[in-house]
Amino acid sequence: MTPHATPARFGLIVRGRREALGLTQAEVAERCAVTRTYVSALENGHKNPTLETQVRIATALGVELSALVKEAEEKR
């Protein structure tokens, strides 16, 4: 596993959850108190969010952070 693989996988999981909920990047950004461009960069694997931001994202998506991390780990 490369160091860049984990943020990329996490971002893909976030995107999949967001799309499954029918939310826009802007809606998730508003719920997380970040910018839409940050959500875009995160989903594309260009951001490695802090633990606090990961918790806010999980909350915005209505899921426990542990579920997002587990799903990302399973994509290895």
Side-chain angles (χ1 to χ4, degrees):
M1 172 169 57
T2 67
H4 300 289
T6 300
R9 282 196 309 266
F10 185 79
L12 288 174
I13 299 306
V14 169
R15 175 182 287 154
R17 292 278 183 143
R18 176 184 62 75
E19 289 175 346
L21 292 169
L23 297 171
T24 66
Q25 288 179 341
E27 290 169 325
V28 171
E30 185 176 322
R31 292 178 182 192
C32 297
V34 297
T35 64
R36 188 211 53 81
T37 55
Y38 183 91
V39 173
S40 176
L42 172 85
E43 289 183 354
N44 288 304
H46 300 296
K47 292 287 183 184
N48 190 1
T50 64
L51 180 58
E52 179 181 341
T53 302
Q54 290 176 31
V55 169
R56 290 194 320 236
I57 290 166
T59 301
L61 298 174
V63 66
E64 294 289 326
L65 175 58
S66 59
L68 290 179
V69 172
K70 182 178 179 183
E71 195 172 338
E73 284 294 312
E74 290 171 352
K75 297 288 183 185
R76 270 201 253 185

